[in-house]
Amino acid sequence: MRSPVPERSPAPEERIRAFGPGRVNLIGEHTDYNGGLALPFAISQGVIVDAVAVDDLMIRAHARDLDERFAFAVTQREREHGWRAFVIGMAAELEVLGVDVGGATLEIGGDLPRGAGLSSSAALEVALCLALLALAGIDPDEPGRLELARVCARVENEWVGAQTGLLDQLASLYGEPDAALLIDFATLELQPVPLKLGDWRLVVLDSGQRHEHADGGYNERRAECARACELLGVQTLSEARASAAAQLPEPLARRARHVLSENERVRSAVSALRDGDMPELGALLSSSHASLREDFEVSTPAVEATVARLLEAGAAGARIMGGGFGGCVLGLFAPGAHAPSDALEVRPGAGAHLLAD
Ligand code: GLA
């Protein structure tokens, strides 16, 4: 569905500050593009875009962490690489939605490390999206957040070249303090699940291995899942019967087994949270990791070493998070247990919003 947005004239001199949070996925990995279940939450760290309208129909952007600049005419549609692809793609996709994107200067900053598995890509897309919409005088709830998640995903799929699903964008746009979001990708139904950690702590520890979904094994996994669906005659792997999936040739049988077992673990994690059973949540994180390592094969030696560090420090459970092939590991610590000092504590925070200047 594409909801056309009424045209409005940009307001020169207006200053906008938009925040797009990163996300942590508690459990439910590689299920989004397989019509399955996931349980992510937005975190307090994110990308901030400071935007000012200008009237010469040029967008001039500055990425603070890289100290790189780039400028393009709003009508330009040439392909770019790296962070530039996000900016040019967002301007183009918002135009497709019917937004009259005007000239702007964009300062891109924030406190979210790139490529570390905290979804810096979605945070950047969402912050750019909110900033350009606000400059055009459009409330994000007018097209609706689901539509914005689709716009952001199109930027990533078509302009950046990573065939990612909707998990990260939905988490960043719909996050709520003190809750995770149960997302059913078959229906796109979202349900907040209270995440009461008490004195328990969730931390992420960087494996030090950077990953790029556009050129990593992520697209290969998607292709394998698509092939498995074709062979099984189903639309998504989540619809497959376990007995039929087990007959697939390898590695497709293992890929399908991961998706089906991961959906079950998401259901169990929701029950564990409702019961306040944190040790059970920890055990589910570890079994998710085993499945991602053995069946989905997205772990690496650097990730395994990071999981081992968290478990040796006393984590009740730990698992690779995000697309895999590097990035961050998530660990759950009981009260009194000490996470490694280079781990970052994460808590559920608010979804994307505009900040006061
Ligand atoms: C990345 C993608 C998501 C999702 C996860 C794996 O973070 O951006 O769409 O597929 O990997 O769960």
Side-chain angles (χ1 to χ4, degrees), residues 278-349:
M278 300 306 274
E280 172 64 8
L281 182 65
L284 288 163
L285 295 186
S286 290
S287 43
S288 170
H289 182 72
S291 178
L292 287 159
R293 183 187 59 224
E294 304 298 328
D295 284 350
F296 220 67
E297 294 179 282
V298 289
S299 191
T300 65
V303 168
E304 289 308 309
T306 312
V307 169
R309 275 188 70 203
L310 287 170
L311 294 176
E312 278 155 23
R319 69 172 199 84
I320 185 174
M321 201 179 64
F325 307 100
C328 269
V329 172
L330 177 68
L332 177 66
F333 283 83
H338 293 291
S341 57
D342 49 338
L344 174 73
E345 184 171 357
V346 283
R347 292 191 167 273

Side-chain angles (χ1 to χ4, degrees), residues 71-294:
F72 61 100
V74 281
T75 49
Q76 187 190 313
R77 293 294 175 261
E78 273 151 40
R79 301 279 148 169
E80 286 285 348
H81 294 287
W83 67 275
R84 295 171 172 82
F86 290 89
V87 187
I88 204 160
M90 185 54 70
E93 290 296 334
L94 285 176
E95 290 273 1
V96 172
L97 189 71
V99 176
D100 187 15
V101 177
T105 63
L106 305 172
E107 276 290 318
I108 302 170
D111 56 358
L112 195 63
R114 276 171 204 266
L118 293 171
S119 202
S120 54
S121 301
L124 173 59
E125 291 151 20
V126 163
L128 283 170
C129 183
L130 254 54
L132 291 176
L133 278 177
L135 284 186
I138 293 166
D139 184 303
D141 294 318
E142 207 174 304
R145 291 194 174 227
L146 184 55
E147 188 59 34
L148 298 187
R150 291 195 173 109
V151 167
C152 292
R154 276 202 295 277
V155 170
E156 191 142 350
N157 298 166
E158 283 158 37
W159 294 82
V160 182
Q163 297 309 311
T164 53
L166 276 178
L167 170 76
D168 308 332
Q169 292 79 8
L170 289 175
S172 183
L173 280 158
Y174 283 93
E176 289 185 17
D178 302 319
L181 286 174
L182 173 61
I183 308 176
D184 182 342
F185 289 93
T187 57
L188 288 182
E189 205 179 309
L190 281 89
Q191 200 185 322
V193 176
L195 183 53
K196 297 181 210 102
L197 290 167
D199 290 333
W200 288 72
R201 276 171 312 137
L202 280 166
V203 303
V204 290
L205 186 57
D206 194 347
S207 69
Q209 186 177 0
R210 290 285 164 269
H211 64 163
E212 290 283 347
H213 291 334
D215 57 23
Y218 183 90
N219 289 352
E220 185 185 298
R221 289 294 173 275
R222 279 201 76 145
E224 289 169 344
C225 291
R227 177 77 187 127
C229 285
E230 232 175 83
L231 293 174
L232 292 168
V234 291
Q235 289 293 311
T236 71
L237 272 186
S238 297
E239 294 161 29
R241 284 202 331 273
S243 54
Q247 304 304 315
L248 286 166
E250 291 296 1
L252 304 187
R254 293 203 296 283
R255 307 294 186 252
R257 187 167 57 198
H258 164 73
V259 172
L260 295 175
S261 65
E262 187 76 349
N263 285 338
E264 275 315 306
R265 282 185 289 272
V266 174
R267 288 193 187 92
S268 304
V270 171
S271 306
L273 284 178
R274 291 199 169 128
D275 296 345
D277 189 348
M278 300 306 274
E280 172 64 8
L281 182 65
L284 288 163
L285 295 186
S286 290
S287 43
S288 170
H289 182 72
S291 178
L292 287 159
R293 183 187 59 224
E294 304 298 328

Side-chain angles (χ1 to χ4, degrees), residues 23 25 28-33 164-168 213 218 322-323:
R23 65 93 188 93
N25 190 15
E29 219 63 271
H30 291 275
T31 48
D32 63 343
Y33 56 87
T164 53
L166 276 178
L167 170 76
D168 308 332
H213 291 334
Y218 183 90

